[in-house]
Amino acid sequence: MSKSLKSTLFLIIILACSFSVYAQDKKLPLLDVLSTIEYKFKVSFSYADKVIKGVMVDFDQQDNLDNILSKLQLQTSLKFNRLDDHFITVTGSVSNFTFQKLDEITISSYLTSGISKNKSGHITITPKSFEILPGLIEPDILQTIQAIPGVLSVDETVSNINVRGGTHDQNLILYDGIKIYQSGHFFGLISAFNPYLTKQVAVIKNGTSAKFGDGVSSMIDMQLFDDTDSDFSAGIGVNMITADGFVIIPLAKKTQLQLATRRAITDVLNTPTYNQYFKRVFQDSEVTSNDTSTSNNQTFRFSDISLKLLHDIGKNDKLRFTLLNVFNQLDFEESSNTNNPESNTNQLKQQNRASALQYEHVWNNKLNTSIKGYYSNYDLKSSDYDMVNNQRLIQENNVVDNGFNIDANYSINQSLSVLGGFQFNEVAVSNLEEVNSPFFSRNLKRSLNTYSAYAETVFSSKNKNSLIKLGLRHNYFKNFEITTTEPRVHLSQRLLKDFRIEVSGELKSQSTSQLIDLQNDFLGVEKRRWVLANNNTIPIQKSKQVSLGLTYNKNKLLLSAEGYYKFVDGITTRSQGLQNQYQFINAIGNYDVKGIDVLINKRIEAFSTWLSYSYSTNNYTFKNLNNNTPFPSNFDVRHQINYGSTYSWQQLKLAFGVNWHSGKPFTQPDTSNPTTGNTINYQAPNSSRLDAYIRADLSATYQFKLGENKAVIGASIWNILDKENTLNTYYTIENNQVTKVENVSLGLTPNVSFRVKF
């Protein structure tokens, strides 16, 4: 057993044994009491902050849950509604801005506390209620969603999430309604979004609301807190990669500031976690040494800052401003391996700035309207010095996305509501390449204006057994004079009390995508660049999807199965990252996916365990390639199994899990005739497969009192078995010699965290 593994296991034992339970005073804020109940009884509360603000209660920890809820209800004017064994709503008197209705939750603890499923079919993650998952000690948003059946990252990163066989750029990622083009720090190993201001995250694999365009594969919708009545709160935390903090400040009676920031500690402190991350991210890139030069003095840092300003103008009007800035920077010196060595500094910067301003007016208890303007700017820059040829290559990729939405929501009665709106969007994308010797410069710029209108109706029966959501979206791409009409549907019906059947379908389109020109672009670290459809070599992508699911939920046992079919047209070979005979061919085609996702989840008091299995076939078809015969997609992972268990004992949380999936396809050279001149002769495309991937993870957290504040300490081990999984295999040729290149996964990676909430 390695030294780092022994140290981390020892720390976890210390967490379990060395803390005592602190006694609490009788009179406590209801907010603190509910938090304690959630941890102790493995339940989750749903409430508006204004409902429980300032409420003080007596609380006896020795009572059972039913007695506690009864006593709380007697002490307050609130009503505690138990939807099932794990989910409880807290309601009070009606106040301003109560027009919007919560989508009723049908499964409250989907895998673990803080993850739920509602009648619209969305999987919802609530970071505030999130407890623990294997390998995670903090609520990393994009790592967490990979525990959901049908969601996978073939290279372990959050910047390459594959939902039902799609590419990462086919996921619509929204941050408070703003489209985000950069999803990861450390070039994909850490989510770029601070979870401590995030109210909830909805993951939608099918049946998307007609309100949303883009995202032919899925939608990940992050929503920040939107209530001005919250009291002051703050928190700070540190782990072996980052330090962060957040604060919620009531500036006035109806004005509030939310602020969160995070910064890497990697440029000032070298940790075992950082070393493992660095080794994983920068393998097979110019940051590592090669025959003609040596890189050293690497400096890597990243940061993000989130801000939201909330102001209720009056009884029925509110104003919201959101700001996000995500930043990564890598600098390293490259020295020539000669008798007279020279050195130059290479640099890579990646940044996404986003902002939005929204005004909402409540006309009455049936109608509200809102208007939002937004701006998102993604910028990727690299400066790469070639020591051998004495050349400097500058590359830039820039996206400017701005527009506005006008939306209206009308509630006809308690069962029926309609919504509709108009949206305008302008996207401009530029790609720059510049070489100093011999001088060459190319800057390709393109922009596209899109006008969209949508309408949707939602019917929910009074007995809550039935839900029908029907929507229609119409897009007009002005530059191409092309229109698309996209119906959306989701049906949910309760059967025989404990069963629920769901049917979803959608047509979607998107105009932006990511391409790879050369595998060594942007220092070989961030190879993909955003491009805009040109209605020629890069068409608008269009998808259609249908799914049918059945769920059984009774006595803390959850069984679910969902079959689906998805077809996406308008993809290009350059968008798929092919590293075979088609790497430098630009062809247009499609992929189709057929699959099924199955989940079994059982909860026994403080213990929860789950097992999920996904099966799918994912094939490309490119006209005039491979004799027009379909061949396996780069993301054709046929089998995927995830096992996980969590256990709670008082304030201690433990989690263990195993992730396994079959190997993804790759293409080998022809064994009998591997080369012709300086060209590789390949076998049939994607006709070989990597070995299966397997990884086991462990994590633990302990919550305790630190003076008057709450503190949490955690420890985790990613890849306990230190299994070296091959994530990608490809071949290069030099001097008629073929070389096999393999990219491997993260090895055994420990992490420790400490947080305090004030």
Side-chain angles (χ1 to χ4, degrees):
M1 183 180 292
S2 67
K3 184 179 293 185
S4 60
L5 176 57
K6 289 180 179 178
S7 300
T8 310
L9 289 175
F10 177 74
L11 178 57
I12 293 174
I13 294 172
I14 293 296
L15 292 177
C17 301
S18 64
F19 291 101
S20 59
V21 179
Y22 286 78
Q24 298 182 355
D25 295 331
K26 277 287 185 180
K27 209 71 171 179
L28 293 170
L30 180 57
L31 176 63
D32 291 345
V33 171
L34 296 184
S35 178
T36 301
I37 295 172
E38 286 180 329
Y39 274 96
K40 183 175 181 179
F41 294 101
K42 298 284 289 181
V43 296
S44 180
F45 288 97
S46 176
Y47 52 83
D49 289 341
K50 65 182 72 178
V51 170
I52 66 170
K53 181 181 180 182
V55 178
M56 305 294 290
V57 294
D58 292 326
F59 174 49
D60 184 356
Q61 291 198 52
Q62 304 306 316
D63 271 344
N64 60 40
L65 179 59
D66 289 334
N67 286 342
I68 291 174
L69 295 180
S70 297
K71 291 178 180 179
L72 292 178
Q73 191 158 303
L74 288 174
Q75 294 181 65
T76 66
S77 59
L78 305 176
K79 186 176 181 180
F80 294 80
N81 308 289
R82 297 195 65 172
L83 301 183
D84 58 25
D85 291 334
H86 287 268
F87 198 82
I88 305 168
T89 61
V90 185
T91 57
S93 58
V94 178
S95 57
N96 294 342
F97 302 119
T98 57
F99 178 87
Q100 296 180 347
K101 298 179 180 179
L102 294 176
D103 199 343
E104 184 187 351
I105 289 175
T106 59
I107 304 171
S108 60
S109 291
Y110 187 89
L111 304 182
T112 187
S113 296
I115 305 179
S116 58
K117 185 177 182 180
N118 59 37
K119 285 202 299 184
S120 292
H122 306 170
I123 306 298
T124 302
I125 301 167
T126 308
K128 184 178 180 180
S129 303
F130 178 81
E131 289 192 348
I132 194 170
L133 279 175
L136 296 180
I137 45 180
E138 296 180 294
D140 186 296
I141 292 170
L142 297 185
Q143 289 284 5
T144 300
I145 71 172
Q146 294 180 45
I148 299 171
V151 181
L152 171 71
S153 174
V154 293
D155 63 3
E156 294 187 327
T157 70
V158 298
S159 57
N160 191 19
I161 294 176
N162 317 115
V163 179
R164 290 181 171 173
T167 54
H168 183 72
D169 58 328
Q170 293 171 345
N171 301 319
L172 173 62
I173 300 177
L174 296 178
Y175 185 84
D176 228 21
I178 315 165
K179 184 175 180 179
I180 303 298
Y181 291 84
Q182 176 186 344
S183 59
H185 283 312
F186 222 129
F187 302 106
L189 292 184
I190 301 171
S191 296
F193 312 105
N194 191 312
Y196 297 103
L197 291 185
T198 306
K199 181 178 182 180
Q200 66 178 27
V201 182
V203 181
I204 305 167
K205 295 181 283 187
N206 192 10
T208 313
S209 169
K211 180 178 180 179
F212 302 102
D214 269 350
V216 295
S217 190
S218 77
M219 188 175 89
I220 302 167
D221 184 17
M222 291 169 279
Q223 300 174 9
L224 305 187
F225 288 98
D226 201 54
D227 191 349
T228 59
D229 287 344
S230 300
D231 292 325
F232 173 87
S233 63
I236 57 173
V238 64
N239 58 40
M240 298 177 75
I241 294 291
T242 65
D244 72 271
F246 79 93
V247 62
I248 298 177
I249 307 173
L251 300 177
K253 185 177 181 180
K254 293 296 181 181
T255 304
Q256 182 189 99
L257 175 66
Q258 303 173 3
L259 180 65
T261 186
R262 175 171 49 171
R263 188 191 188 282
I265 61 174
T266 54
D267 55 335
V268 296
L269 182 62
N270 197 351
T271 67
T273 311
Y274 170 73
N275 291 335
Q276 288 290 74
Y277 278 21
F278 192 93
K279 179 181 177 181
R280 162 66 184 87
V281 170
F282 298 115
Q283 61 180 308
D284 189 31
S285 73
E286 295 187 25
V287 183
T288 56
S289 301
N290 55 53
D291 294 335
T292 59
S293 63
T294 301
S295 63
N296 46 44
N297 296 328
Q298 299 99 339
T299 303
F300 177 71
R301 54 187 176 273
F302 63 82
S303 63
D304 58 65
I305 184 168
S306 310
L307 179 149
K308 187 169 184 178
L309 182 63
L310 305 85
H311 177 61
D312 294 344
I313 301 172
K315 181 179 179 181
N316 297 317
D317 301 270
K318 60 182 180 181
L319 194 64
R320 304 292 186 259
F321 174 73
T322 304
L323 180 68
L324 172 70
N325 184 63
V326 178
F327 178 77
N328 285 258
Q329 180 170 328
L330 168 70
D331 300 282
F332 67 94
E333 291 183 4
E334 189 172 5
S335 303
S336 59
N337 296 330
T338 63
N339 293 329
N340 298 307
E342 297 180 357
S343 63
N344 286 279
T345 299
N346 295 336
Q347 186 178 81
L348 178 65
K349 289 184 179 180
Q350 188 181 32
Q351 186 170 22
N352 201 142
R353 296 175 290 264
S355 60
L357 181 64
Q358 176 173 315
Y359 167 74
E360 182 176 352
H361 178 71
V362 177
W363 299 88
N364 50 50
N365 61 358
K366 291 183 175 293
L367 174 67
N368 76 331
T369 57
S370 67
I371 181 170
K372 171 183 282 188
Y374 61 88
Y375 170 86
S376 185
N377 175 213
Y378 171 78
D379 204 15
L380 176 64
K381 297 180 180 179
S382 74
S383 178
D384 181 11
Y385 200 87
D386 184 346
M387 302 295 297
V388 176
N389 298 308
N390 195 30
Q391 284 183 332
R392 173 79 71 182
L393 171 63
I394 295 175
Q395 293 179 301
E396 296 183 8
N397 178 214
N398 181 263
V399 181
V400 176
D401 184 343
N402 59 81
F404 66 87
N405 307 334
I406 300 174
D407 303 294
N409 192 334
Y410 183 72
S411 179
I412 298 174
N413 53 47
Q414 290 185 347
S415 298
L416 185 63
S417 62
V418 294
L419 59 152
F422 172 81
Q423 300 168 358
F424 168 76
N425 171 249
E426 180 184 45
V427 181
V429 180
S430 64
N431 280 285
L432 169 71
E433 290 181 311
E434 185 176 292
V435 180
N436 65 337
S437 178
F439 181 79
F440 168 80
S441 181
R442 177 177 63 182
N443 190 7
L444 301 178
K445 297 181 180 180
R446 187 173 291 119
S447 64
L448 178 63
N449 293 345
T450 305
Y451 300 84
S452 304
Y454 76 93
E456 188 169 86
T457 181
V458 180
F459 169 79
S460 180
S461 61
K462 292 183 179 180
N463 60 10
K464 307 300 182 182
N465 288 338
S466 305
L467 175 75
I468 303 174
K469 183 170 68 173
L470 301 173
L472 189 68
R473 181 180 181 87
H474 186 76
N475 305 307
Y476 173 59
F477 301 97
K478 181 180 178 182
N479 304 53
F480 310 140
E481 296 186 349
I482 291 176
T483 62
T484 61
T485 301
E486 302 168 357
R488 315 280 176 83
V489 61
H490 179 78
L491 310 176
S492 178
Q493 177 63 49
R494 190 175 184 179
L495 302 172
L496 304 175
K497 188 179 179 180
D498 302 313
F499 289 87
R500 182 169 292 274
I501 188 171
E502 296 178 326
V503 179
S504 298
E506 63 181 25
L507 267 64
K508 300 179 77 175
S509 62
Q510 71 176 62
S511 59
T512 55
S513 59
Q514 286 183 308
L515 306 182
I516 297 176
D517 283 343
L518 296 172
Q519 294 290 333
N520 60 351
D521 281 347
F522 296 99
L523 307 178
V525 176
E526 186 58 61
K527 308 168 187 177
R528 293 170 296 178
R529 65 182 76 197
W530 286 98
V531 295
L532 194 58
N534 59 15
N535 202 33
N536 185 12
T537 57
I538 307 173
I540 294 172
Q541 298 181 46
K542 299 178 182 179
S543 71
K544 52 187 176 183
Q545 183 178 187
V546 63
S547 61
L548 172 65
L550 180 66
T551 300
Y552 171 82
N553 189 18
K554 185 180 181 181
N555 296 330
K556 301 180 182 180
L557 174 64
L558 168 64
L559 304 173
S560 71
E562 185 174 31
Y564 62 89
Y565 171 77
K566 181 166 68 174
F567 178 84
V568 179
D569 195 17
I571 66 170
T572 68
T573 48
R574 294 165 60 203
S575 68
Q576 302 301 302
L578 296 169
Q579 293 175 283
N580 53 22
Q581 57 266 55
Y582 302 140
Q583 179 174 345
F584 301 108
I585 295 177
N586 187 23
I588 300 170
N590 61 67
Y591 72 83
D592 68 285
V593 188
K594 305 178 186 72
I596 185 170
D597 298 326
V598 179
L599 173 67
I600 303 173
N601 181 201
K602 177 62 178 176
R603 301 182 300 277
I604 305 173
E605 296 182 350
F607 179 75
S608 177
T609 186
W610 65 90
L611 179 69
S612 67
Y613 169 71
S614 295
Y615 170 80
S616 65
T617 60
N618 186 350
N619 292 309
Y620 292 135
T621 302
F622 290 100
K623 187 177 180 180
N624 301 324
L625 296 185
N626 200 43
N627 297 317
N628 296 330
T629 302
F631 62 93
S633 159
N634 275 5
F635 309 101
D636 179 39
V637 176
R638 296 290 173 93
H639 306 277
Q640 180 186 0
I641 298 175
N642 288 336
Y643 165 78
S645 291
T646 62
Y647 177 74
S648 299
W649 180 71
Q650 295 183 355
Q651 307 305 316
L652 176 67
K653 314 295 177 186
L654 300 172
F656 172 76
V658 178
N659 295 271
W660 178 93
H661 64 75
S662 54
K664 80 181 191 74
F666 73 103
T667 310
Q668 295 192 72
D670 189 298
T671 54
S672 60
N673 185 27
T675 64
T676 298
N678 210 36
T679 302
I680 299 176
N681 294 325
Y682 285 98
Q683 298 178 14
N686 284 349
S687 55
S688 300
R689 289 189 177 267
L690 300 176
D691 291 337
Y693 174 100
I694 187 168
R695 188 189 80 241
D697 307 318
L698 178 69
S699 54
T701 63
Y702 187 86
Q703 178 178 283
F704 59 99
K705 281 282 189 178
L706 188 64
E708 296 299 319
N709 305 310
K710 291 182 179 179
V712 179
I713 188 168
S716 68
I717 306 175
W718 180 281
N719 195 358
I720 298 172
L721 303 176
D722 200 18
K723 171 72 173 177
E724 189 175 271
N725 295 290
T726 301
L727 302 175
N728 187 37
T729 295
Y730 65 97
Y731 298 85
T732 62
I733 186 170
E734 187 173 350
N735 299 324
N736 298 327
Q737 295 295 316
V738 176
T739 301
K740 183 179 181 180
V741 181
E742 292 185 332
N743 300 142
V744 298
S745 63
L746 266 175
L748 186 148
T749 306
N751 200 0
V752 178
S753 69
F754 176 73
R755 299 199 61 81
V756 180
K757 184 178 180 181
F758 305 100

